[in-house]
Amino acid sequence: MEEKKFDVKSIIGFVLIFGILLYVMYQNQPTPEELEAQKQAEQAQAEAENNQSKQNADLVTTASDYTENTQVLDSTQKAALQNKVGAFAYALTLPKSSEQYTTVTTDVFELKFNRKGGHLAEVKLRNFVDYDSVPVYMVKDQNSAFNLTFGTSDNRTLNTQDFPFEPTVTKNGENTVVSMKLKVSASDFLEYRYELKPNDYMIDFSIRSQGLNGVFNTSQPIAIDWKQKTIRHSKSISYENRYTRLTYMHDDGKVDKLSQGGDDDETVSDVDWISYRQHFFSTILAAENATLDNVAMTSLNLVEDEEIDTLYTKLYTAKMPLAYNGGELNKNFGLYYGPTDSKTLKQYDKGLEKSIPFGWGIFGWINKMLFIPLFNFLSGFLPYGIAIIVMTVLVKILLSFVQYKQFLSQAKMKILKPELDAVREKYKDNKLKAQQETMAIQSRAGASPLSGCLPGLMQIPVFYALFMFFPTAFALRQKSFLWADDLSSFDSVLDLPFRIPLYGDHVSLFPILAAIAIFFYMRMTTGQQMANQPTQEGMPDMAKMMKYMIYFSPLMMLVFFNNYASGLSLYYFISNSISIGIMLVIKNYIIDEDKVLAKIEVNKTKPKKQSKFQKKMAEMMEQAEQQKQAQQRGRKK
């Protein structure tokens, strides 16, 4: 019984797929020299910022000493404060609060506002926990800083992070309003205003001043300095870090990103929003009414060694100027702390969902128009693991015509093999003539070893789209199926006491099952193509390449998917298992080789009209044959 064999289209598809995977994983990797230069630049920048912070802290230290233990300052002390910080000495003379933080709770948040600096010191998402059942914090333990640097009319440069703000909490209907004011008098101030809405991850945030048009030095803009280290929330820090990336929208809807794997920086104007994305959770600053100009952004990778239990994944910074309006400040923002979920982000109508890496071009379009709606529909009434299986079945049914075309082409080549072997034997001393006759036979029969390539290539957009869909599907986060307790992370069934390079320190079961399915599928199909594909002079040995691919493809799945989302490995396991079933049905019940042979014989009797390309190829081969014959005659003479 002749062995079932493989189609060359699948080889081409797999090679292209692996190329795409390697490109995705290793794009934008900096050289060691670039990393060293970036680190030196970061160190120089940090030193400069520390020096400036120390200078400003020195201005406030004496004032803080006055207010630590006293409630009333005499005229001499007030004069000393005035001499150090000018009009902002008033804020330091106010009675010191016994509480450093102001705490506010909503349906989705537990927030702490720091009286010193007026910014958010802690942001806890009430509805989520991390891989270790610890509440998800976006801001905690000084991982985030928000500061305004501004000049004064008496030639001072001050930072809001060095001054105490006066908090007040009020209600605006159902909304909670937190006002943090840095005062220069009873009625004049710089204010951070936060308005919190029920069941809403978006905070209305505004920066405004009152009565400071004579205090600010309006010849230089106020500069926002916003920093945040993203806190680890997933089991695999390397996997989470791969999808942790600074993303921003600018120039009327264009979305760009800083480097995924290394350190990066960019200065951009006309910015609509900046997203500090950390895989499944994001912190987003969105400008209202007008865009931001000259925004200097940086991204620093903090995961230098995957074996170290690192707390943070990346450090993001953004510096941007704020323009004055009539000598005062009045700028509105949206401040988002919440899930990186397309359904949630889309409701704000700011294009925030574009921060999610669904894939570029047609791949992203397939995800947004097909897979996301389909999966949302199925998961609405099915368990998430079952929804993945059902979606896989539907996708395979949709692409079953592709496999049919591939197997039909394979059947034609199998039937023609004896005739083609006879031609190659007849012209074994004339390779060019053998190739001409082979092409003529294939053309008359309506068969070609490449006739199934186009249908095979059609599977690549689907493959890559799903490769991007599963790791970014927030709905899969912490959803269990069988032994996998989280379909958005790896399904470890064994923890290893050591780390294997590229593989990791654990064994995931779904990638093993997927690798086994790929192996048997290729064993069942590759032999056929290896037998039908002759080795031609000057061409690669395709039979040998296919033999290697039988083992290389499962190995790729086993190694590279060990740390990927188990939902993705589940998809590939089910997909390849179904492919084996479809292949057996098509070969044994749909494609009748006798009918295919009869059709080939009919095609041979029909005049075959050649395309321009085929004619040109035939002419070139004929000319080459004539030249070869002329050379042989010349040697005989």
Side-chain angles (χ1 to χ4, degrees):
M1 180 176 178
E2 191 164 292
E3 187 182 358
K4 310 280 185 185
K5 309 211 169 171
F6 197 94
D7 190 355
V8 70
K9 299 80 74 180
S10 298
I11 290 293
I12 295 172
F14 275 117
V15 170
L16 290 173
I17 287 166
F18 292 142
I20 291 173
L21 291 178
L22 292 175
Y23 173 76
V24 171
M25 292 177 183
Y26 298 107
Q27 65 172 334
N28 298 324
Q29 292 294 322
T31 64
E33 293 79 9
E34 291 173 335
L35 284 173
E36 183 62 29
Q38 180 68 25
K39 287 183 178 179
Q40 292 176 358
E42 291 287 344
Q43 291 173 357
Q45 179 183 353
E47 289 175 3
E49 290 174 352
N50 287 336
N51 291 335
Q52 181 64 43
S53 179
K54 288 179 181 179
Q55 293 174 6
N56 291 319
D58 289 340
L59 293 175
V60 182
T61 299
T62 303
S64 298
D65 290 340
Y66 286 135
T67 56
E68 280 291 335
N69 302 309
T70 61
Q71 294 297 324
V72 180
L73 303 180
D74 59 31
S75 59
T76 302
Q77 293 170 324
K78 290 181 178 180
L81 286 178
Q82 184 76 24
N83 185 54
K84 286 184 176 294
V85 295
F88 289 88
Y90 179 84
L92 298 166
T93 65
L94 296 174
K96 183 175 177 62
S97 172
S98 60
E99 298 292 337
Q100 183 181 356
Y101 302 105
T102 298
T103 302
V104 175
T105 300
T106 71
D107 302 285
V108 297
F109 291 131
E110 285 185 16
L111 306 175
K112 286 185 179 180
F113 298 85
N114 196 339
R115 184 171 183 264
K116 186 177 181 180
H119 58 83
L120 278 161
E122 193 168 286
V123 177
K124 173 184 173 182
L125 302 183
R126 299 183 63 189
N127 300 326
F128 302 101
V129 295
D130 68 9
Y131 70 101
D132 207 20
S133 299
V134 175
V136 169
Y137 286 89
M138 305 294 290
V139 178
K140 190 181 182 183
D141 297 332
Q142 300 180 349
N143 74 307
S144 180
F146 189 91
N147 177 59
L148 296 187
T149 301
F150 58 92
T152 64
S153 56
D154 50 4
N155 296 321
R156 292 181 173 86
T157 299
L158 302 176
N159 290 300
T160 56
Q161 66 186 9
D162 297 323
F163 289 91
F165 283 62
E166 186 174 276
T168 58
V169 180
T170 58
K171 281 288 187 178
N172 180 17
E174 293 184 345
N175 299 346
T176 301
V177 177
V178 180
S179 172
M180 306 294 290
K181 291 181 179 178
L182 171 55
K183 292 187 173 183
V184 299
S185 71
S187 59
D188 301 329
F189 52 82
L190 172 66
E191 179 188 29
Y192 294 164
R193 185 180 186 275
Y194 306 85
E195 184 162 351
L196 315 170
K197 299 175 284 294
N199 289 304
D200 199 333
Y201 294 101
M202 183 70 76
I203 301 171
D204 290 340
F205 173 56
S206 62
I207 302 173
R208 73 181 191 95
S209 65
Q210 179 175 298
L212 301 187
N213 55 340
V215 176
F216 288 134
N217 177 7
T218 56
S219 64
Q220 64 183 62
I222 284 184
I224 295 179
D225 186 2
W226 178 40
K227 302 176 182 178
Q228 185 164 313
K229 289 191 291 186
T230 51
I231 303 172
R232 173 186 179 179
H233 295 136
S234 299
K235 283 193 294 186
S236 172
I237 190 169
S238 60
Y239 182 67
E240 180 177 21
N241 199 35
R242 187 177 297 121
Y243 295 95
T244 297
R245 198 169 186 181
L246 191 154
T247 310
Y248 57 95
M249 177 182 280
H250 64 113
D251 293 336
D252 294 327
K254 183 179 180 182
V255 176
D256 278 315
K257 310 171 184 67
L258 295 191
S259 175
Q260 178 180 4
D263 303 339
D264 198 6
D265 63 89
E266 194 71 62
T267 300
V268 185
S269 290
D270 196 22
V271 175
D272 295 286
W273 49 256
I274 305 167
S275 172
Y276 289 174
R277 172 163 55 83
Q278 51 190 103
H279 197 187
F280 283 128
F281 298 95
S282 294
T283 302
I284 304 175
L285 183 69
E288 301 286 350
N289 303 325
T291 57
L292 301 167
D293 290 324
N294 297 318
V295 182
M297 296 169 285
T298 68
S299 175
L300 178 65
N301 186 22
L302 302 179
V303 184
E304 296 182 358
D305 189 342
E306 296 179 8
E307 296 186 25
I308 299 175
D309 191 19
T310 310
L311 179 60
Y312 302 106
T313 52
K314 284 187 172 70
L315 167 63
Y316 297 135
T317 72
K319 294 184 178 180
M320 62 204 86
L322 289 183
Y324 291 99
N325 183 5
E328 300 282 3
L329 277 177
N330 189 7
K331 184 65 178 178
N332 298 321
F333 299 92
L335 191 55
Y336 178 88
Y337 293 98
T340 311
D341 176 37
S342 60
K343 189 184 302 183
T344 303
L345 293 172
K346 190 177 292 185
Q347 68 184 356
Y348 298 109
D349 197 27
K350 299 177 185 291
L352 302 180
E353 70 278 3
K354 295 180 181 178
S355 65
I356 303 174
F358 291 129
W360 50 271
I362 188 174
F363 309 114
W365 184 89
I366 291 174
N367 271 329
K368 286 180 271 192
M369 302 303 293
L370 177 60
F371 291 134
I372 292 176
L374 176 60
F375 185 77
N376 287 340
F377 170 73
L378 294 174
S379 61
F381 60 91
L382 293 173
Y384 286 90
I386 301 299
I388 291 175
I389 294 174
V390 173
M391 186 171 77
T392 306
V393 172
L394 294 176
V395 170
K396 295 306 295 184
I397 292 175
L398 181 66
L399 294 177
S400 59
F401 78 96
V402 174
Q403 284 188 284
Y404 173 76
K405 289 289 185 181
Q406 290 176 325
F407 295 142
L408 179 61
S409 174
Q410 182 178 322
K412 289 181 178 180
M413 294 303 299
K414 175 184 174 183
I415 292 170
L416 289 175
K417 185 179 182 301
E419 190 174 354
L420 296 176
D421 286 344
V423 167
R424 286 190 287 271
E425 179 64 26
K426 180 179 180 181
Y427 297 103
K428 60 183 178 181
D429 297 325
N430 190 337
K431 302 294 183 183
L432 191 59
K433 184 65 175 177
Q435 183 65 19
Q436 284 180 306
E437 292 298 319
T438 296
M439 291 179 62
I441 291 171
Q442 291 172 347
S443 178
R444 289 195 303 270
S448 169
L450 301 179
S451 62
C453 281
L454 184 58
L457 291 175
M458 289 175 61
Q459 298 181 77
I460 293 179
V462 174
F463 181 98
Y464 183 76
L466 288 166
F467 178 78
M468 297 302 295
F469 168 76
F470 283 103
T472 58
F474 185 84
L476 292 178
R477 183 178 181 272
Q478 297 182 346
K479 300 301 189 299
S480 61
F481 180 67
L482 298 178
W483 57 85
D485 55 7
D486 186 350
L487 287 168
S488 71
S489 186
F490 57 81
D491 56 312
S492 176
V493 294
L494 177 64
D495 292 329
L496 303 175
F498 50 84
R499 175 176 291 272
I500 302 174
L502 297 179
Y503 186 73
D505 59 359
H506 63 276
V507 177
S508 298
L509 184 52
F510 274 130
I512 295 175
L513 296 177
I516 292 172
I518 290 175
F519 176 78
F520 281 106
Y521 173 75
M522 298 188 75
R523 279 292 300 267
M524 292 174 65
T525 58
T526 301
Q528 174 80 35
Q529 188 60 28
M530 288 167 58
N532 291 339
Q533 186 68 37
T535 301
Q536 299 179 14
E537 188 176 357
M539 297 294 288
D541 188 344
M542 291 300 295
K544 185 179 291 185
M545 290 177 62
M546 293 178 197
K547 186 180 294 184
Y548 290 148
M549 287 297 292
I550 294 176
Y551 301 97
F552 179 69
S553 297
L555 183 63
M556 286 282 291
M557 170 63 69
L558 193 65
V559 172
F560 287 104
F561 284 75
N562 190 58
N563 289 293
Y564 268 70
S566 54
L568 181 63
S569 300
L570 170 62
Y571 166 80
Y572 288 136
F573 167 59
I574 299 299
S575 177
N576 282 282
S577 300
I578 294 173
S579 292
I580 293 173
I582 292 177
M583 176 198 69
L584 293 174
V585 170
I586 291 175
K587 283 198 167 188
N588 296 324
Y589 298 101
I590 297 178
I591 294 180
D592 188 329
E593 292 188 4
D594 292 334
K595 291 183 179 179
V596 173
L597 176 61
K599 188 173 182 179
I600 288 176
E601 295 299 331
V602 172
N603 287 339
K604 287 181 179 180
T605 62
K606 296 180 180 178
K608 189 70 175 180
K609 184 178 180 180
Q610 289 184 318
S611 66
K612 291 183 179 180
F613 175 76
Q614 290 174 322
K615 288 181 180 179
K616 187 66 176 178
M617 287 293 296
E619 291 173 0
M620 291 173 63
M621 295 179 71
E622 184 64 32
Q623 290 174 3
E625 177 66 19
Q626 291 174 0
Q627 291 175 0
K628 183 177 180 181
Q629 292 176 359
Q631 290 174 356
Q632 290 175 347
R633 287 195 296 268
R635 292 193 191 100
K636 291 178 181 180
K637 292 180 180 179

